[in-house]
């Protein structure tokens, strides 16, 4: 199963040094039955993109609580066994919980399929969005507009062998 783990550049550097993404439990996103039903799609690429987008939003929230890290959203895509992933079926159709899963163990970095990260030119918009995400969550439409500005930036795809360059 492909799982998308939201993180930051600093946390990616720690994972690279440790050889694993952790500590557990890890909150992540994947194509869950609820996400599949919500998006009413059988196209796995569309569904995985939706899970990746949810992980990017969670990465933005990590940046909001860690103002000292590089202002780029980071999502690590990993391939792990279905049995390693837990989701709450009772929250499956809750829009706030779409695609949410939990991993009970740290994930070896060797399970990484790719890293998705903002480009340099997104940093100003991501910085502003990280500062506005709390107000957007409370219904502030101007703050939501700022958050949407970060989401206008597509995360770039990087191969696992590029991680040293991403964190350096």
């Amino acid at each position: 199963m492909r799982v998308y783990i939201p993180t930051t550049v600093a946390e990616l550097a720690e994972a690279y040094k440790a050889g694993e993404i952790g500590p557990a439990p890890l909150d992540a996103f994947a194509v869950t039955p609820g996400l599949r039903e919500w998006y009413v799609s059988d196209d796995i690429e569309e569904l995985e993109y939706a899970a990746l987008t949810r992980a990017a939003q969670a990465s933005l929230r990590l940046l909001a609580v860690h103002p000292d890290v590089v202002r780029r959203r980071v999502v690590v895509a990993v391939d792990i066994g279905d049995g390693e992933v837990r989701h709450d079926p009772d929250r499956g159709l809750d829009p706030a919980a779409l695609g949410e899963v939990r991993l009970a163990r740290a994930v070896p970095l060797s399970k990484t399929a790719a890293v998705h990260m903002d480009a340099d030119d997104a940093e100003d918009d991501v910085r502003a969005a990280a500062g506005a995400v709390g107000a957007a969550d409370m219904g502030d439409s101007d703050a939501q507009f700022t958050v949407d500005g970060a989401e206008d930036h597509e995360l770039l795809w990087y191969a696992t062998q590029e991680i040293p360059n991403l964190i350096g």
Side-chain angles (χ1 to χ4, degrees):
M1 167 180 262
R2 177 69 48 98
V3 176
Y4 299 92
I5 303 171
T7 191
T8 66
V9 172
E11 289 174 352
L12 180 61
E14 289 176 25
Y16 184 73
K17 288 178 198 165
E20 66 181 17
I21 304 166
L26 291 165
D27 293 324
F29 296 84
V31 178
T32 61
L35 183 86
R36 201 177 280 276
E37 188 172 335
W38 181 266
Y39 281 92
V40 193
S41 176
D42 289 329
D43 185 337
I44 192 64
E45 288 184 15
E46 283 181 27
L47 293 167
E48 286 183 347
Y49 183 77
L52 170 65
T53 299
R54 300 279 298 152
Q57 293 166 347
S59 177
L60 182 65
R61 283 174 169 68
L62 290 173
L63 294 173
V65 297
H66 297 288
D68 55 328
V69 299
V70 176
R71 307 278 84 183
R72 290 191 196 175
R73 298 167 298 162
V74 180
V75 176
V76 179
V78 298
D79 291 321
I80 57 177
D82 291 356
E84 298 178 60
V85 178
R86 301 280 181 257
H87 73 279
D88 184 350
D90 293 334
R91 291 191 67 207
L93 293 179
D94 177 356
L98 288 175
E100 282 183 359
V101 296
R102 178 155 282 185
L103 309 177
R105 292 189 287 254
V107 178
L109 210 56
S110 62
K111 301 263 187 185
T112 301
V115 174
H116 302 271
M117 183 187 300
D118 280 310
D120 293 345
D121 66 350
E123 284 190 35
D124 288 341
D125 288 337
V126 171
R127 179 178 294 106
V133 72
D137 288 347
M138 299 300 291
D140 183 320
S141 59
D142 290 335
Q144 185 61 53
F145 182 79
T146 302
V147 170
D148 291 344
E151 292 182 2
D152 287 342
H153 294 274
E154 292 288 329
L155 297 182
L156 302 178
W157 180 95
Y158 295 95
T160 56
Q161 61 266 32
E162 296 179 272
I163 292 174
N165 297 329
L166 299 174
I167 62 175

